[in-house]
Amino acid sequence: MHGPELDRLVAEARRQLEICNACRYCEGYCAVFPAMTLHRAFSDGTLVQLANLCHGCRACYHACQYAPPHAFAVNLPRALAELRVASWESLAPPAGLGRFVQRRAGATVLALLSALAGMFWALASLRPPSGTGFYAHLSHGAMVAIFLPAFLLPLALLARALRDFWRLVGGGRVRLRHLRVALAEAASLVHLSGGGQGGCQFEKGDRPSQARRFAHQLVFWGFVACFASTTSATIMHYALDWPAPYDFWTPPKLLGVPGGVLMVVGGIVLASLARRADPELGSPAHRGGEAAFRVLLVSVPASGLLLWAAADTVLQAPLLALHLATVLAFFLLAPYSKMAHAPFRFAALVRAAQEREAAGTPRGAVRASS
Amino acid sequence: MPDDPDFSAATREVWDVIVVGGGNAGICAALEAVERGAKVLVLEAAPEPWRGGNSRHTRNIRLAHEGPVGPLEGSYGEEEFFSDLLAVTKGKTDEKLARLVIRRSAACLAWMSAQGAAFQPSLTGTLSLSRTNAFFLGGGKALLNAYYNRARDLGVAVLYETPVRHVAIERGRFRAVEIEREGRRAAIAGRAVVLAAGGFEADLDELERGWGPAARNFLVRGTPYNRGEVLHDLLAQGARAVGDPTQCHCVAVDGRAPKFDGGIVTRIDCVPFGIVVNRAGERFYDEGEDIWPKRYAIWGRLVALQPDQIAYAIVDAQARELFMPSIYPPIRAATIEELARKLDLPVERLADTVARFNAACRPGRFHPTERDGLSTEGLEPPKSNWARPLRVPPFEAYPLRPGVTFTYLGLAVDERARVLGPEGPFEGVFAAGEIMAGSILGEGYLAGFGMTIGTVFGRIAGAEAAGARS
Ligand SMILES: Cc1cc2nc3c(=O)[nH]c(=O)nc-3n(C[C@H](O)[C@H](O)[C@H](O)COP(=O)(O)OP(=O)(O)OC[C@H]3O[C@@H](n4cnc5c(N)ncnc54)[C@H](O)[C@@H]3O)c2cc1C
Ligand code: SF4
Ligand code: SF4
C-alpha cells in the first residue's frame, strides 16, 4: 500500500490524529476515538484501520476548535474519508481499476452501458425456443452462466482485499464474540448516532439529524430483503423444483417487492442528503464516483420493481435487459465502488472489538485537567 | 458591511437585552432572556468560525449534585464543593457569591440538556473527575454550537465581527453600546446590557503592566478577542474592581505553540519524568513535587520567571512511553552535548547539570503513576519523586513557555449579577462569566469551575436583564 498520494494521505491523517490524541474531546462520538486512544504513535496500518472505522458522520468536525480557519486545520472526516477510499483503491486488485471507478462517475456509466449492451445482445441472440415469464426471453441456464461468475468473481476479489487489509491492520484471530459485537454495531449503525446526541451532523451543518442513519437503515434492510428474496427463489428453483415466475404471495415477491421499495426510498434520500452535505468535509475527489454509485444503487431495485409492474407487456424484454444490466454492473463494480465500504467497515469493526478486548479497558487514559 | 440589512435594522431597534460577548456566559444569558420574552441581541467581536471565546476550548463543567445523575457519578454536595474552592483560592473568594454559584449549579445539567447540550457518559481514566465534572460531548465548541442553534430557533439576533468599544451609562443607567464595524462606529440602544466579554488575557500590553516585558513572550491559550476592552471601559466609569490586576492563570505549554488559540493540545506532560532547565542550562525547581495534574498549573509561572521566559524539559528514552507526546516532535540527540547544541544552550553547563542530577539519583522503586518517593540526595533544588538518571539515549527535549489561560481582574457584582458602581449597582448593567469571576475565583483554579460561574451567572444575568426592561 504505497504511492506518493497514499503516503501524503497517510501523513495527513497521522498529523491530525496526533492532535486529536492530545485533545480527545470527541471521545464519545464514535468508535474511532476510543480506538485512537489505545495508540501513542500511529502505524500506517493503524491509520487505515481508523479510517475504515470512521462513518463520516462529521460530528467531530463541527465540534473541533482546531477546524479551519484554525492553523491546525483539523478536518478529520475529510482526512479519514480520503485515506479510506484510497485504501480500498489500493487493496482491491487489479490496481488502478478502483481508482478509476471510485473517482469518475463516467466509469460507472460506462460499466452500466456496456452491461446494457451485453444484455440486449444476450436477449437478442440467446433467446430460448420456449419458456415462461423472464425465461421466455433468457433461459435459466443462460442467466446462471452470466450471473454466477459475476457474483463469485467480485466476492473472491473482495475476500483477497480483506485478507490484505487484515494483514495491514495487524488483525488477530477472529472469534465469534468479535463478530457478534461488530454485527450488533453494524446492524444498529450505532456510530451514526453521534454518541447519543441525536444523529450525524451531515446535511444540516452543525445540527444533528437522524436522516442519514434512518435512510441507510432502509437501504441496508432493503438490501437484506432483496438478497433473501433471491436466495428463496434459488431454493425454490433447485430444492423444490418450483421455477419462476412467482406470484405475489410467495417468498421471493413478499421479500423482494418491499425490499426493493425500501432500497429505492432509502437510496434516494441518501443521494439527496449527500447533495446537501458540504463537499469539503468528505473526499471531493471521490464525489463523482460516489454519486454515480448511488444512482446505480437505486437503479437496481427501481428497474426490478418496474419489471415486476410491466410483466406480460411489451416493455418486459427491455426492462429485463435493464434490470439485469444494473445487477451485473452493481456486482462487478462492488470491489471498486462505494459498495466496498460494507466489507471494509465490517472488518474494521471486528478489528476494533479485538483491540478493545486486548487492551482490557474499553478506553484509554484521558487528560483530566484543563 | 455597514449596509448589511441585519446590521442597519439592529441599530434602529431598541433592544430589551444586549449581550456583549458570545461565549458560554453570554449565550446562556441570551437564552434565559429570550425565554422570558425579551428581544435579545448578541454582539460578538469575533467572526462566526471563531465565536465562543475561550468557552470553545473547554471540556467540562463542575456541578453539585445529590446523587448519580446523567454523566455524573456519586454525589458532590455544597460543603465539599465549597471546601474544594477554598483550598485552591486560599480563601480568596466571596463566600456569598460562591455558595450561590455552587447551589445553583445543581440545576444546570437539566437546563443545559433542555437547550440541546449533550454530555459524554462517564469515562474511565479521568481521575475521578466524573464525580465532580460533566464532560461535554465533543467539548466546548460542540456545546456552544448547540446553544447557538437554540438561540437562533428562539429568535435571538447575533452580529459577528462587531466588537463593543464603549458602554454608555448615563446617570447610573444603561443607555446604549457603541460598536465598531468595518472601521465605523455606531450606537445600539437597549434597556439592559449583559457584559460577558471575558477577561483581558489576549491583551499583551495590559499583561505587560503586571508582568513587565516578560509578558511579550507569553502564549495565549485561548481566543485573541478577549482584550478586556469592556472590562476596562467599565472600570474607567467607576465600576468596582475585584481580583488582582497583575495576576493571570498560566500553565506550561510547548514553546512552539501558536501565539493564540493553541488550546488544550499544546500542553506538555513530560516534566515529572525528566528535568527542566532554563536558558543557562540550570535546573530551577523540583520537577517531581507532585503528580502532574496537581502541578502543571504552577509551571507556567515558574517558566515566566526564567530569563527569556523559556525552559526545556529533557527526558531520556526510558521515559518516552510514560507521558502523552506533544503534538510537536521532540528535539532529539544521541548525547546531552549534542542536545545542548541543538537547543543552543551552554554545552558544558548542561552536561554538568545532568551529571550532577544523575549523581544525586538513588536506587529504588520507580512508579510513574503515584508519588514514588524516589528522590535525589544532596541536590538543590531537589527532585522529590521519579528521580531516575538521564542515561539512555536518545535524549529528547521540549521547549516550554508560559501559556495564559485567564486573568483575575474583574467587575464586582451582587447576587443579582448587577455590576457595582461607586454608589451601588448600575441600573440595567449586568455581568457574567470570566469578566466577573474574580469575585469568586480570586486565585488558583478549580477544573470546570469557569463554566460553572459562566452558566450560573449567565442565567441570572439574562433573567435579571429581561426583568429590568419593564
Ligand atoms: C484552553 C482552555 C481550556 C479551558 N478548559 C476549561 C474547562 O474545561 N472547564 C472550565 O470550566 N473552564 C475552562 N477554561 C476556562 C473557561 O474557558 C472560561 O472560564 C470560560 O470560557 C469563560 O466564559 P465567558 O463566556 O466568560 O468568556 P469567553 O468564552 O471567553 O467569551 C467571551 C466572548 O466575548 C467576546 N468579546 C471579547 N471582547 C468583546 C467586545 N469588546 N465586544 C464584543 N465581544 C467581545 C469574545 O470574542 C468571546 O467570544 C479553559 C480555558 C482555556 C483557555
Ligand atoms: S477532532 Fe478536534 S476536538 Fe475532536 S478530538 Fe480531534 S482535535 Fe479534538
Ligand atoms: S466523522 Fe464521525 S465517525 Fe468519523 S471520526 Fe468523526 S465523529 Fe467519528
Side-chain angles (χ1 to χ4, degrees):
Chain A
M1 222 201 67
H2 279 292
E5 192 194 11
L6 257 173
D7 292 350
R8 180 179 65 74
L9 296 177
V10 163
E12 177 60 9
R14 180 176 289 124
R15 179 189 78 81
Q16 295 195 19
L17 279 162
E18 281 173 357
I19 296 174
C20 292
N21 211 12
C23 167
R24 301 186 175 180
Y25 282 12
C26 291
E27 196 164 10
Y29 280 131
C30 68
V32 172
F33 296 92
M36 167 196 83
T37 59
L38 300 175
H39 300 268
R40 201 171 171 280
F42 300 104
S43 68
D44 292 7
T46 299
L47 292 167
V48 167
Q49 157 68 6
L50 294 176
N52 278 283
L53 258 190
C54 168
H55 292 50
C57 81
R58 305 177 172 196
C60 63
Y61 175 85
H62 294 290
C64 188
Q65 63 274 30
Y66 304 114
H70 195 287
F72 289 173
V74 174
N75 180 346
L76 204 57
R78 175 169 178 164
L80 295 184
E82 292 183 319
L83 177 57
R84 180 166 63 241
V85 189
S87 77
W88 308 337
E89 288 170 2
S90 80
L91 287 165
L97 188 53
R99 221 185 130 76
F100 181 48
V101 179
Q102 300 283 10
R103 287 167 198 244
R104 306 235 174 274
T108 301
V109 175
L110 194 67
L112 193 55
L113 289 178
S114 317
L116 202 55
M119 288 322 303
F120 272 117
W121 173 84
L123 253 54
S125 52
L126 305 178
R127 192 182 170 94
S130 68
T132 51
F134 313 143
Y135 302 141
H137 304 284
L138 195 62
S139 73
H140 185 263
M143 284 203 202
V144 171
I146 296 170
F147 282 93
L148 197 62
F151 183 63
L152 292 180
L153 181 70
L155 271 188
L157 290 167
L158 275 174
R160 221 195 97 158
L162 281 184
R163 187 203 60 189
D164 291 348
F165 172 81
W166 203 246
R167 283 201 191 132
L168 181 67
V169 305
R173 189 154 165 183
V174 179
R175 308 270 179 193
L176 198 60
R177 54 181 186 277
H178 305 142
L179 292 175
R180 263 206 308 267
V181 172
L183 212 59
E185 290 179 347
S188 65
L189 283 178
V190 61
H191 301 304
L192 290 185
S193 72
Q197 67 165 358
C200 296
Q201 286 161 293
F202 189 72
E203 75 285 358
K204 293 198 290 186
D206 62 22
R207 285 179 192 258
S209 140
Q210 297 278 14
R212 187 157 168 260
R213 187 182 186 193
F214 190 67
H216 192 290
Q217 289 290 36
L218 294 185
V219 173
F220 177 72
W221 292 107
F223 188 85
V224 169
C226 290
F227 194 80
S229 153
T230 311
T231 310
S232 68
T234 310
I235 292 171
M236 285 160 73
H237 184 92
Y238 289 104
L240 308 179
D241 198 18
W242 180 4
Y246 304 110
D247 67 33
F248 189 78
W249 300 103
T250 58
K253 286 288 183 322
L254 284 175
L255 289 163
V257 173
V261 172
L262 291 185
M263 277 185 78
V264 170
V265 174
I268 289 175
V269 175
L270 279 182
S272 91
L273 295 177
R275 277 174 61 108
R276 277 182 276 159
D278 183 350
E280 288 303 310
L281 308 193
S283 174
H286 296 108
R287 208 166 136 80
E290 284 185 5
F293 170 74
R294 286 188 202 96
V295 172
L296 183 60
L297 184 74
V298 170
S299 70
V300 174
S303 60
L305 290 170
L306 285 177
L307 176 61
W308 172 61
D312 305 323
T313 70
V314 286
L315 288 176
Q316 191 178 34
L319 281 173
L320 180 65
L322 177 66
H323 181 58
L324 294 180
T326 59
V327 173
L328 192 61
F330 183 82
F331 278 115
L332 287 176
L333 292 183
Y336 315 110
S337 69
K338 176 143 191 174
M339 196 55 209
H341 83 281
F344 282 104
R345 177 74 33 82
F346 187 74
L349 288 170
V350 174
R351 177 68 193 130
Q354 280 187 344
E355 274 198 302
R356 280 199 299 267
E357 184 181 277
T361 65
R363 296 167 193 275
V366 174
R367 291 186 178 211
S369 39
S370 44
Chain B
M1 283 167 273
D3 46 5
D4 176 344
D6 287 353
F7 176 65
S8 354
T11 53
R12 284 195 300 272
E13 190 99 45
V14 178
W15 296 87
D16 290 332
V17 177
I18 296 176
V19 177
V20 182
N24 175 61
I27 211 81
C28 285
L31 287 171
E32 197 68 58
V34 77
E35 280 186 342
R36 284 172 164 67
K39 217 160 42 173
V40 183
L41 173 67
V42 176
L43 298 172
E44 167 57 54
E48 184 167 355
W50 297 102
R51 72 184 184 193
N54 285 351
S55 303
R56 66 205 290 285
H57 286 288
T58 64
R59 135 171 235 167
N60 59 38
I61 181 167
R62 184 173 290 254
L63 299 172
H65 54 104
E66 292 305 331
V69 50
L72 294 161
E73 295 168 351
S75 68
Y76 189 44
E78 178 179 337
E79 291 313 318
E80 185 188 358
F81 198 146
F82 186 65
S83 74
D84 287 348
L85 180 64
L86 277 185
V88 299
T89 57
K90 306 202 175 78
K92 280 197 207 164
T93 184
D94 177 326
E95 178 161 354
K96 204 166 55 170
L97 295 183
R99 285 189 181 273
L100 175 69
V101 168
I102 292 170
R103 227 170 284 143
R104 296 263 182 116
S105 76
C108 286
L109 194 70
W111 182 82
M112 294 170 73
S113 304
Q115 310 302 321
F119 295 90
Q120 195 168 297
S122 59
L123 301 169
T124 54
T126 45
L127 297 171
S128 78
L129 265 181
S130 50
R131 185 172 70 86
T132 55
N133 290 41
F135 286 68
F136 314 132
L137 184 66
K141 187 175 170 195
L143 174 76
L144 270 281
N145 287 343
Y147 281 171
Y148 270 94
N149 283 331
R150 171 87 176 151
R152 172 179 293 189
D153 292 347
L154 295 178
V156 171
V158 182
L159 289 176
Y160 298 104
E161 297 177 66
T162 311
V164 169
R165 300 291 187 215
H166 174 60
V167 179
I169 299 172
E170 285 166 23
R171 288 188 294 280
R173 190 183 178 88
F174 171 65
R175 281 274 164 268
V177 291
E178 248 176 57
I179 57 100
E180 183 170 332
R181 213 169 142 93
E182 302 245 304
R184 287 208 235 158
R185 291 245 184 176
I188 302 183
R191 299 187 175 88
V193 69
V194 176
L195 307 176
F200 67 89
E201 55 277 350
D203 186 349
L204 295 177
D205 297 332
E206 200 54 44
L207 288 174
E208 198 172 346
R209 290 221 221 153
W211 283 84
R216 292 278 148 212
N217 287 325
F218 290 4
L219 302 176
V220 178
R221 301 176 68 207
T223 179
Y225 293 94
N226 284 1
R227 302 179 51 80
E229 240 186 316
V230 174
L231 169 64
H232 286 110
D233 178 62
L234 262 287
L235 294 178
Q237 299 185 62
R240 270 169 48 200
V242 289
D244 186 336
T246 66
Q247 290 307 306
C248 56
H249 180 270
C250 218
V251 307
V253 299
D254 195 303
R256 295 160 291 183
K259 191 75 182 170
F260 296 101
D261 265 324
I264 189 86
V265 300
T266 61
R267 280 178 42 200
I268 290 281
D269 284 351
C270 65
V271 168
F273 304 117
I275 63 169
V276 178
V277 300
N278 59 17
R279 201 97 216 65
E282 312 252 27
R283 291 177 59 246
F284 51 89
Y285 196 82
D286 182 351
E287 300 90 347
E289 202 174 41
D290 206 339
I291 57 164
W292 188 236
K294 292 202 178 165
R295 274 296 160 268
Y296 90 103
I298 69 167
W299 276 85
R301 169 177 309 271
L302 291 170
V303 175
L305 295 172
Q306 297 306 308
D308 294 343
Q309 296 69 53
I310 189 145
Y312 299 91
I314 301 175
V315 295
D316 72 353
Q318 301 176 86
R320 210 190 275 164
E321 302 292 316
L322 300 178
F323 58 91
M324 283 303 301
S326 169
I327 59 165
Y328 298 97
I331 298 149
R332 190 173 286 149
T335 64
I336 292 291
E337 288 75 10
E338 188 194 339
L339 190 65
R341 274 190 292 275
K342 284 192 172 171
L343 298 176
D344 202 16
L345 295 179
V347 178
E348 273 159 33
R349 183 68 70 76
L350 183 65
D352 179 55
T353 298
V354 172
R356 279 191 295 129
F357 171 77
N358 286 355
C361 291
R362 291 289 164 263
R365 193 186 66 109
F366 172 85
H367 199 296
T369 54
E370 57 189 54
R371 283 194 294 183
D372 61 2
L374 194 59
S375 76
T376 53
E377 256 176 53
L379 190 69
E380 206 38 58
K383 183 177 177 190
S384 340
N385 289 287
W386 310 291
R388 269 198 311 197
L390 300 177
R391 58 163 176 239
V392 184
F395 302 98
E396 296 185 339
Y398 296 93
L400 304 180
R401 287 245 184 237
V404 185
T405 319
F406 56 83
T407 46
Y408 290 100
L409 175 70
L411 303 173
V413 296
D414 64 9
E415 62 277 27
R416 292 170 59 191
R418 295 182 298 183
V419 175
L420 302 179
E423 296 122 31
F426 293 115
E427 263 182 84
V429 183
F430 303 86
E434 204 189 308
I435 199 169
M436 47 64 67
S439 301
I440 300 164
L441 196 64
E443 188 182 325
Y445 183 62
L446 192 57
F449 199 46
M451 293 298 275
T452 316
I453 297 173
T455 308
V456 169
F457 262 92
R459 293 186 58 195
I460 294 176
E464 291 284 343
R469 78 200 134 112
S470 41

